[in-house]
Amino acid sequence: MPVPWFLLSLALGRNPVVLSLERVVGPQDAARCSPGLSCHLWDGDVLCLPGGIVSAPGPVLVPTLLQTELVLRCHKETDCDLCVRVAVHLAVHGSWEEPADEEEFGRTPDPGLEDPRNASLQAHVVLSFQAYPTARCVLLEVQVPAALVQPGQSVGSIVFDCFEAALGAEVRIWSYTQPRYQKELNLTQQLPDCRGLDVQDSIQRCSALPWLNVSADGDHVRLVLDVSEEQRFGLSLYWNQTQGPAKPWWHRNLTGPQTITLNHTDLVPCLCIQVWPLEPDSVRTSICPFREDPRAHRNLWRAARLQLLPPQGWRLDAPCSLPAEATLCWQAQDGGPCQPLVPPLPRANVTVNKALKFPLLKGHPNVCIQVSTWEKLQLQECLWTDSLGPLKDDMLLVETRDSQDNRSLCALEPSGCTPLLSRASTRAARLGEQLLQDLQSGQCLQLWDDDLGALWACPMDKYTHQRWALVWLACLLFAAVLFLLLLVKKDHVKAAAARSRTALLLYSPDDAGFERLVGALASALCQLPLRVAVDLWSRRELSAQGPLAWFHAQRRQTLQEGGVVVLLFSPGAVAMCHEWLQDAASAPGAHGPHDAFTASLSCVLPDFLQGRAPGRYIGAYFDRLLPPDAVPALFRSVPVFSLPSQLPDFLRTLQGPGALRSRRLAERADQVSRALQPALDSCFWPQETAGTGSGMGPEAGDRT
């Protein structure tokens, strides 16, 4: 059962126009002409010999226009062939020369001779037809009455029925007279195939074509061929290139039905599909459904590659012809848009897949080629970057000449072409005289030269070096000033480094007087660039967390920040340490809810026993409250200081690497000593220590 002839889905474009053709019955050729003319078709074909052009002896008939029309030549109702009807329009060419005055020579006109201006015109018109593998020539005789002969005027047309041709063929038609009085007319035409004609019921070959449906499905395109299971057919995908022969891409012989899936990235405007039954002399039908598809045009530019061919050639590779133009431009080293140059390349569509030449004398890495459409720039490549190196800091000079050979020079800059001897505030204007001297001394490279002007590339390296010398001098001066500022601010930087150090004070609350003394020491240390933590100022946290948890948190934070833990030894603290060292298992519990020292011994003693204490801990005791040898030997693995007699050394060790200079440190030690003295004296006067220990510092938070 035959299937329908062809269908193109609306998914990827409009349906082709379908033509309904006139039918011509019978195999004989025929000719007819316009009213008033007489014409005759010679029997059989003639030789196609146009000959040379000869001069017209007077008015002659010549072809002026060729027109064609497709018809069907039918032998039976369903047995027709495609045929090309040709119409040739004729006109009178030339005129009669005025006869000489015979009476002037003593002769009288012969009344028996007919005036040729009153005679009719006759012509032999040849039609030559070529459609591979067929070639024919026919001869048409036409006569025009004298009444219609007007020089330069059209006299009518003659119509020939008809030249048979294959579906989808390319035909060429010529028309001339014998003898030939002018250049022959010619016409080339691509005939439609089955899909463009309403002939599926008239031409038997068209009735057997597969039904091809092209549809879009997301990122894919489906080619569905709906044919019977027994029918074998050929399917070919090819790139129909206008500049050169078609390039095959994919071909298969298949048995229907079939569904072929294409990725949308494979689509290009010139991708065409050809399908035909695998039968002798079968008709091939071709379609190119992606010519207007936006995705296909985007894919084409993605696939295009611009290649530069040394020494001075270039080529644009692409699957299809590109509606684009190529121009030369100059790319400055410091960036910015590439500026168009003269001479421009021919303002015509680029020929793809063909090596082309640049109209330049020499190459330069800053000369680039751009390929663009009317919408935007598509491709750009700079010439010979592999062989000539990177972009140069050259100035392009443009020389223009007029018809009187007057010359002018300007420098191509981002703002435009600047005259060299102008007062503009551009780089080229400032160096105009130097650039002219470089050009005259031959230091510039000539890139192009003709009657319109020339292009010169002048190196700017030496001027750039002068500019950079000034920049380096300014940088050195700035570095010197900065170094002096750093020297002046050195002490402030050290102080800022020391300010971030934390000191955690641990002590045994022997009595209210000793707690007052510890509070005075902590308050005095806060005046230094130190952050001080002591349980006297964290009663709420101690009550909420417990002494052991509070000490763990403070110790971890202090050591992580590079701080130090200060052990303040008193008689009560020494006694408690001896108890832990003698029998750690029976060591007493904390004396009170705020006794962080007793809680901390379980963490402090292991650090000393395992050798981790140096650098993390220091010890101190107060003069007159504890003799020097009372501090247990285990704790002497770290520095132990007597206060206030060894305050300078204590403060230097406490502040670490960022300690103040000796003179300033002595001043700070004197301030701390004066702050400690009242509290130290009160420890020896019980009657003065009955108070509540006012002045111990804030109840919450660390001082900074």
Side-chain angles (χ1 to χ4, degrees):
M1 176 180 179
V3 297
W5 63 288
F6 190 85
L7 172 67
L8 174 63
S9 171
L10 286 173
L12 291 175
R14 298 175 296 174
N15 280 331
V17 177
V18 178
L19 301 177
S20 181
L21 303 182
E22 176 187 342
R23 291 171 176 259
V24 176
V25 180
Q28 295 83 14
D29 295 337
R32 65 181 186 274
C33 47
S34 301
L37 305 183
S38 60
C39 54
H40 169 69
L41 173 65
W42 283 34
D43 295 336
D45 291 353
V46 298
L47 293 178
C48 301
L49 298 174
I53 299 177
V54 298
S55 299
V60 293
L61 293 178
V62 293
T64 58
L65 179 65
L66 279 178
Q67 289 181 316
T68 61
E69 180 184 2
L70 296 181
V71 296
L72 290 178
R73 171 169 283 173
C74 298
H75 311 283
K76 296 180 181 179
E77 183 68 20
T78 59
D79 184 13
C80 302
D81 293 311
L82 191 63
C83 209
V84 180
R85 174 183 290 166
V86 182
V88 183
H89 294 260
L90 302 172
V92 178
H93 173 70
S95 60
W96 294 109
E97 295 182 359
E98 291 295 332
D101 191 352
E102 295 184 358
E103 293 182 356
E104 180 180 346
F105 298 97
R107 291 180 300 179
T108 58
D110 188 353
L113 294 178
E114 182 182 359
D115 188 350
R117 288 175 291 185
N118 297 326
S120 62
L121 289 181
Q122 187 178 10
H124 292 89
V125 179
V126 178
L127 286 178
S128 176
F129 178 87
Q130 289 185 7
Y132 181 82
T134 303
R136 293 186 60 192
C137 279
V138 297
L139 182 62
L140 302 169
E141 184 179 309
V142 60
Q143 188 167 1
V144 180
L148 298 180
V149 178
Q150 297 293 330
Q153 297 296 317
S154 174
V155 297
S157 62
I158 183 170
V159 179
F160 171 76
D161 279 335
C162 57
F163 295 112
E164 293 186 11
L167 291 161
E170 181 181 82
V171 300
R172 297 182 180 183
I173 305 171
W174 291 266
S175 178
Y176 52 90
T177 59
Q178 286 187 342
R180 187 159 62 96
Y181 301 111
Q182 66 177 21
K183 186 177 180 180
E184 66 270 16
L185 297 180
N186 65 83
L187 175 67
T188 300
Q189 184 175 2
Q190 183 74 40
L191 301 185
D193 50 27
C194 293
R195 68 186 178 92
L197 300 171
D198 185 15
V199 294
Q200 63 270 28
D201 296 330
S202 303
I203 300 179
Q204 294 179 356
R205 294 177 180 179
C206 291
S207 63
L209 285 179
W211 182 320
L212 175 61
N213 181 24
V214 183
S215 61
D217 182 13
D219 290 339
H220 298 86
V221 175
R222 300 188 185 279
L223 310 180
V224 181
L225 290 104
D226 187 9
V227 297
S228 62
E229 295 183 359
E230 297 81 11
Q231 184 177 1
R232 299 179 67 248
F233 61 92
L235 179 66
S236 176
L237 303 179
Y238 63 96
W239 292 325
N240 186 28
Q241 297 175 333
T242 58
Q243 301 166 347
K247 184 177 181 181
W249 180 49
W250 187 89
H251 171 81
R252 291 289 187 277
N253 291 334
L254 304 171
T255 301
Q258 291 285 341
T259 299
I260 310 298
T261 302
L262 302 177
N263 194 293
H264 73 94
T265 57
D266 297 329
L267 305 183
V268 290
C270 64
L271 179 61
C272 299
I273 308 164
Q274 189 177 75
V275 60
W276 67 96
L278 293 179
E279 299 173 356
D281 300 326
S282 60
V283 176
R284 296 192 176 204
T285 299
S286 299
I287 60 169
C288 302
F290 310 112
R291 290 174 178 168
E292 306 299 330
D293 193 322
R295 295 179 301 176
H297 285 273
R298 289 194 296 267
N299 293 338
L300 177 59
W301 281 110
R302 293 191 187 105
R305 294 293 180 268
L306 185 59
Q307 297 187 29
L308 300 169
L309 309 174
Q312 290 176 291
W314 65 284
R315 184 177 66 201
L316 180 62
D317 293 327
C320 312
S321 300
L322 286 168
E325 295 180 347
T327 55
L328 289 178
C329 63
W330 178 265
Q331 181 63 65
Q333 186 186 41
D334 55 358
C338 198
Q339 297 174 283
L341 290 181
V342 289
L345 297 176
R347 304 292 292 185
N349 284 347
V350 177
T351 302
V352 299
N353 307 321
K354 180 181 179 181
L356 303 172
K357 292 291 184 179
F358 289 109
L360 296 176
L361 299 176
K362 293 184 180 179
H364 192 283
N366 293 39
V367 177
C368 305
I369 184 170
Q370 292 179 335
V371 177
S372 58
T373 62
W374 64 274
E375 295 177 334
K376 64 176 181 178
L377 173 66
Q378 299 287 355
L379 298 172
Q380 176 177 317
E381 287 290 339
C382 293
L383 308 185
W384 317 297
T385 51
D386 294 337
S387 57
L388 297 181
L391 299 177
K392 294 183 178 180
D393 185 21
D394 289 2
M395 183 70 70
L396 187 74
L397 302 185
V398 181
E399 179 183 343
T400 56
R401 305 164 187 161
D402 58 18
S403 57
Q404 284 77 33
D405 201 27
N406 296 320
R407 306 188 179 194
S408 62
L409 274 174
C410 64
L412 195 62
E413 295 186 289
S415 59
C417 207
T418 305
L420 291 185
L421 301 179
S422 68
R423 297 182 179 180
S425 59
T426 64
R427 183 187 184 193
R430 291 193 299 269
L431 301 173
E433 294 184 0
Q434 293 92 324
L435 289 173
L436 279 176
Q437 294 175 1
D438 293 344
L439 180 62
Q440 295 169 358
S441 61
Q443 299 183 38
C444 300
L445 177 67
Q446 189 174 27
L447 303 181
W448 170 71
D449 185 28
D450 75 352
D451 296 337
L452 299 178
L455 296 177
W456 306 82
C458 299
M460 301 293 288
D461 296 342
K462 57 183 178 182
Y463 306 114
T464 304
H465 294 161
Q466 295 174 2
R467 181 182 62 184
W468 281 110
L470 296 176
V471 173
W472 278 112
L473 182 61
C475 291
L476 290 176
L477 181 61
F478 176 76
V481 173
L482 183 61
F483 180 71
L484 292 176
L485 291 176
L486 290 175
L487 290 178
V488 172
K489 296 295 183 180
K490 183 178 179 182
D491 292 340
H492 297 284
V493 173
K494 289 184 177 180
R499 192 184 311 276
S500 62
R501 202 167 199 212
T502 304
L504 173 61
L505 304 185
L506 295 180
Y507 69 98
S508 174
D510 293 356
D511 52 45
F514 188 78
E515 284 189 332
R516 185 182 298 111
L517 179 59
V518 172
L521 176 63
S523 298
L525 294 179
C526 283
Q527 305 305 316
L528 302 175
L530 287 172
R531 176 180 174 272
V532 180
V534 63
D535 62 349
L536 286 173
W537 299 340
S538 304
R539 296 298 193 190
R540 294 180 182 175
E541 288 84 352
L542 281 171
S543 299
Q545 302 176 16
L548 185 60
W550 179 87
F551 169 76
H552 271 294
Q554 293 296 325
R555 173 179 171 275
R556 185 188 313 110
Q557 180 179 356
T558 299
L559 297 181
Q560 286 178 350
E561 295 175 356
V564 63
V565 179
V566 181
L567 301 177
L568 294 177
F569 291 100
S570 63
V574 171
M576 199 171 303
C577 290
H578 282 303
E579 291 179 10
W580 273 88
L581 294 173
Q582 290 174 1
D583 188 2
S586 61
H591 293 176
H594 308 307
D595 190 354
F597 184 82
T598 306
S600 66
L601 287 178
S602 61
C603 296
V604 172
L605 290 177
D607 286 343
F608 282 85
L609 292 172
Q610 298 174 13
R612 298 195 302 266
R616 297 181 172 187
Y617 297 80
I618 61 175
Y621 61 92
F622 293 96
D623 298 335
R624 297 186 293 173
L625 291 183
L626 192 71
D629 56 355
V631 177
L634 176 64
F635 297 98
R636 294 189 179 275
S637 60
V638 300
V640 179
F641 302 95
S642 176
L643 304 180
S645 59
Q646 294 180 330
L647 261 175
D649 295 334
F650 172 75
L651 296 180
R652 183 180 294 106
T653 304
L654 194 62
Q655 289 182 287
L660 300 174
R661 293 183 178 181
S662 299
R663 187 176 63 181
R664 297 187 62 191
L665 191 64
E667 295 175 358
R668 294 293 178 88
D670 185 64
Q671 295 175 3
V672 174
S673 179
R674 288 197 302 269
L676 289 178
Q677 198 60 45
L680 191 60
D681 293 339
S682 68
C683 291
F684 300 97
W685 298 96
Q687 66 272 17
E688 295 179 8
T689 61
T692 59
S694 61
M696 288 298 186
E699 280 296 318
D702 300 327
R703 290 190 181 183
T704 57

